[in-house]
């Protein structure tokens, strides 16, 4: 057999054959045919040895460039992230409650989408606050690029990657994160897409030029007190079917807010995707209410300050009329009550009668002194202005005496009551932590004697009156209940009420004051009064925060 081919191998063991072109006896046809074959083999070897590794390297570089770009580690993206810096927000003990963390913006390139319907369904399972139709519309849009949602967490990003939709993409950002979820949502507030504060303490930070501060913003609130309030109010809403709830705890001597919860609340990363209505308002600083019998504290304090006689008795079995307007007691304790008994047993007739005797001039002057006529001077921008009567006449004055015709915020009420029970010293409330050298903004609203008398009466409300469910074995609590009918279109609905309970503890030398509200709360037995709803909730909160605040549990009320 004629040997027309010579066998060769390269350094890596690849074998190939080459025609022996020096032989003159090879047919021309074979020479031409095998020249083509030999060149093909050589190209295959070159592709395997050089081009494929090169393509792999280029692909890897491209992939890492895309990851680098979308993760924000290139120079241009880093500069964008850095400009979003905001100071951390911490509680009074230094616990971080808001900070900046890397987040991701999810976008879609519709022309790269493979399965819009399936991917949209899977996405809304990962991010339940998104709406399927909205997502689907973006995924089928004729536009080249659309953001679906901003500021998602790394954990959410990983779940979205697993959907496997090529049309999805991510850009790294820096987002504001509430480290405690929705626990402080109404206090912290929110920021816009450019990290500018638009509500809550975030907006206050910007207004004071502190948005670029390197020091944390320290609030007066306590994480654990906030959590105790939140958990108990959340339970009460479910247990009693309440539409909303709110609770605030204040340091009597400094005016510092230790806890402030308004429910329902919201998660910061879902804020822009939540249908915000009146239920999401800050019920403590913004919403205004007629607060029922809680307002009797002011009527009684004004009476004591003006030496109103306690030996004057009122018949509470018969309606008291002011012109054509009858005033009734829903649960008269006995036929005749004096001022102190009228307060303890929450008599509308006694309070209306006293208010009428004192006159509207003294009432208006006193209410102005305890700051019931204007918005509160407070750090949060969400501050409501009290609704005042258009005509402040004799009937209006009597109605205010037992809790109607004037609608302040809960912040107004707790601050004013604090002024009455704090040896008569009104202190402006604050959500910022004060140091020991802070100068308190305070002034006298009633005498120390009146203040002491009111503390005793508030204690009797708990021991002998409508606040009986607030009796605790180790902490002497004082308080006042309040139940008010909701007004809609100028008419009161007796089936829809709000209940309030304001408490002070320990009552002989108060350190803390708390106000709780429940909206349309009803027990399983059908009771909807403050005694059945807000009082037991308040009592449970006091129990829990008593240990947090290191209250002297052996402290007993002075006997008089």
């Amino acid at each position: 057999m004629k040997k027309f081919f010579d066998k060769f191998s390269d350094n890596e063991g690849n074998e190939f054959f080459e025609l022996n072109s020096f032989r003159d006896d090879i047919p021309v046809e074979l020479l031409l045919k095998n020249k083509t074959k030999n060149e093909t083999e050589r190209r295959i070897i070159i592709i395997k040895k050089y081009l494929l590794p090169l393509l792999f390297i280029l692909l890897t570089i491209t992939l890492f460039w895309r990851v680098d770009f979308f993760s924000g580690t290139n120079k241009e993206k880093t500069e964008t992230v850095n400009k979003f810096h905001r100071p951390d927000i911490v509680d009074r003990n230094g616990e971080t409650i808001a900070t900046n963390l890397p987040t991701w913006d999810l976008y879609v390139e519709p022309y790269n989408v493979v399965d819009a319907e399936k991917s949209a369904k899977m996405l809304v399972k990962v991010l339940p606050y998104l709406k399927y139709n909205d997502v689907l519309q973006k995924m089928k849009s004729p536009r080249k690029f659309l953001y679906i949602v901003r500021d998602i967490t790394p954990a959410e990003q990983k779940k979205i990657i697993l959907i496997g939709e090529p049309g999805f993409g991510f850009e790294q950002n820096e987002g504001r994160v509430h480290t405690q979820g929705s626990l402080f949502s109404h206090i912290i507030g929110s920021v816009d897409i450019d990290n500018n504060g638009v509500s809550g303490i975030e907006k206050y930070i910007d207004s004071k030029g502190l948005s670029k501060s390197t020091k944390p913003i320290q609030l007066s609130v306590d994480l654990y007190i906030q959590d105790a309030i939140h958990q108990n109010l959340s339970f009460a809403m479910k247990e009693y079917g309440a539409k909303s709830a709110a609770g605030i705890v204040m340091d009597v001597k400094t005016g510092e807010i230790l806890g402030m919860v308004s429910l329902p609340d919201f998660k910061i990363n879902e804020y822009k995707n939540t249908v915000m209505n009146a239920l999401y308002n800050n019920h403590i600083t913004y919403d205004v209410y007629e607060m029922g019998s809680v307002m009797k504290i002011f009527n009684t304090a004004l009476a004591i300050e003006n030496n109103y006689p306690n030996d004057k008795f009122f018949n509470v079995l018969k309606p008291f009329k002011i012109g054509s307007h009858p005033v009734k007691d829903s649960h008269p304790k006995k036929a005749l009550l004096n001022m102190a008994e009228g307060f303890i047993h929450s008599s509308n007739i006694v309070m209306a009668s006293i208010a009428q005797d004192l006159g509207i001039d003294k009432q208006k002057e006193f209410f102005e002194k305890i700051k019931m006529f204007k918005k509160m001077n407070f750090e949060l921008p969400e501050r409501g202005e009290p609704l005042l009567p258009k005509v402040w006449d004799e009937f209006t004055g009597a109605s205010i005496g037992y809790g109607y015709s004037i609608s302040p915020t809960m912040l107004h009420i707790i601050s004013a009551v604090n002024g009455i029970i704090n040896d008569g010293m009104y202190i402006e409330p604050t959500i910022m932590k004060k140091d020991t050298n802070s100068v308190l903004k305070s002034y006298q609203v009633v005498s120390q004697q009146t203040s002491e008398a009111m503390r005793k009466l508030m204690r009797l409300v708990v021991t002998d009156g409508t606040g009986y469910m607030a009796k605790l074995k180790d902490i002497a609590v004082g308080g006042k209940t309040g139940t008010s009918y909701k007004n809609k279109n100028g008419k009161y609905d007796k089936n829809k009420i709000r209940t309030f309970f304001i408490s002070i503890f320990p009552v002989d030398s108060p350190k803390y004051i708390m106000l709780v509200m429940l909206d349309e709360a009803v027990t399983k037995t059908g009771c909807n009064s403050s005694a059945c709803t807000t009082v037991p909730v308040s009592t449970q909160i006091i129990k829990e925060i008593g240990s947090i605040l290191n209250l002297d549990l052996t402290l007993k009320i002075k006997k008089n």
Side-chain angles (χ1 to χ4, degrees), residues 416-434:
V417 174
N418 190 59
I420 289 172
I421 59 93
N422 181 31
D423 291 330
M425 294 298 296
Y426 184 102
I427 299 174
E428 287 193 352
T430 180
I431 199 74
M432 309 300 290
K433 185 180 180 181
K434 293 183 177 180

Side-chain angles (χ1 to χ4, degrees), residues 186 237 243-248 260-265 277-289 291 382 408-411 498 500 515 517 519:
H186 284 91
M237 283 186 68
K243 292 178 64 176
S244 61
I248 177 172
M260 185 171 73
V261 175
S262 179
L263 298 177
D265 49 22
N277 54 40
L279 288 177
Y280 288 90
N281 287 346
N282 189 326
H283 304 312
I284 295 169
T285 65
Y286 183 77
D287 285 342
V288 295
Y289 307 108
M291 299 199 189
E382 297 78 28
T409 69
M410 290 177 65
L411 187 62
R498 292 188 184 92
F500 303 86
L515 178 59
M517 180 276 292
D519 186 2

Side-chain angles (χ1 to χ4, degrees), residues 133-203:
N133 289 334
D134 293 342
V135 174
L136 187 61
Q137 184 179 3
K138 289 183 178 180
M139 295 184 73
K140 291 186 173 182
S141 171
R143 295 175 61 181
K144 292 183 178 181
F145 178 98
L146 286 166
Y147 284 108
I148 295 179
V149 64
R150 294 176 182 269
D151 292 335
I152 62 173
T153 66
E156 291 170 332
Q157 184 213 18
K158 289 179 181 178
K159 292 178 182 179
I160 295 170
I161 290 174
L162 293 176
I163 293 174
E165 173 55 67
F168 288 156
F170 303 89
E171 286 183 355
Q172 191 175 16
N173 202 344
E174 186 175 272
R176 200 61 164 165
V177 177
H178 290 189
T179 61
Q180 304 300 325
S182 60
L183 187 59
F184 292 93
S185 58
H186 284 91
I187 296 175
I188 298 172
S190 61
V191 295
D192 63 16
I193 193 171
D194 295 317
N195 246 6
N196 298 314
V198 295
S199 64
I201 208 68
E202 297 281 21
K203 188 172 183 178

Side-chain angles (χ1 to χ4, degrees), residues 291-496:
M291 299 199 189
S293 296
V294 168
M295 302 294 288
K296 293 171 182 175
I297 294 173
F298 308 123
N299 195 56
T300 306
L302 179 61
I304 295 173
E305 190 76 354
N306 283 273
N307 300 312
Y308 195 88
N310 197 40
D311 57 359
K312 182 176 181 179
F313 288 85
F314 304 89
N315 187 343
V316 297
L317 297 181
K318 295 180 180 180
F320 172 73
K321 285 192 175 182
I322 303 174
S324 60
H325 303 284
V327 180
K328 300 178 181 180
D329 277 2
S330 59
H331 48 271
K333 187 70 175 179
K334 57 181 181 179
L336 299 175
L337 298 176
N338 61 15
M339 178 181 64
E341 292 170 327
F343 179 81
I344 296 166
H345 301 296
S346 206
S347 169
N348 292 341
I349 291 175
V350 172
M351 292 295 121
S353 301
I354 292 174
Q356 189 178 47
D357 290 344
L358 292 171
I360 60 175
D361 290 338
K362 287 182 179 178
Q363 187 181 63
K364 290 171 71 173
E365 181 183 356
F366 184 62
F367 272 62
E368 185 173 14
K369 184 186 287 188
I370 57 177
K371 298 193 174 183
M372 287 289 181
F373 291 168
K374 297 179 180 179
K375 288 183 179 181
M376 294 293 295
N377 182 22
F378 191 63
E379 293 86 2
L380 298 187
E382 297 78 28
R383 291 171 288 122
E385 188 163 358
L387 294 179
L388 306 177
K390 294 180 180 179
V391 178
W392 204 312
D393 56 15
E394 185 181 29
F395 172 74
T396 302
S399 180
I400 291 173
Y402 62 88
Y404 288 89
S405 297
I406 186 170
S407 301
T409 69
M410 290 177 65
L411 187 62
H412 280 90
I413 294 298
I414 195 170
S415 302
V417 174
N418 190 59
I420 289 172
I421 59 93
N422 181 31
D423 291 330
M425 294 298 296
Y426 184 102
I427 299 174
E428 287 193 352
T430 180
I431 199 74
M432 309 300 290
K433 185 180 180 181
K434 293 183 177 180
D435 57 42
T436 53
N437 298 321
S438 297
V439 177
L440 299 177
K441 297 179 180 180
S442 61
Y443 62 94
Q444 200 84 29
V445 290
V446 294
S447 66
Q448 291 187 12
Q449 291 78 13
T450 298
S451 181
E452 183 179 3
M454 288 306 301
R455 293 197 297 268
K456 292 177 180 178
L457 286 174
M458 290 177 73
R459 175 57 180 171
L460 289 170
V461 169
V462 172
T463 58
D464 302 335
T466 54
Y468 62 92
M469 291 191 74
K471 282 192 286 188
L472 292 173
K473 182 179 179 181
D474 297 317
I475 304 176
V477 178
K480 185 70 190 80
T481 55
T483 301
S484 66
Y485 299 121
K486 296 174 71 171
N487 190 323
K488 187 175 183 179
N489 300 324
K491 293 183 179 181
Y492 290 103
D493 187 340
K494 293 187 177 182
N495 295 316
K496 295 183 178 181

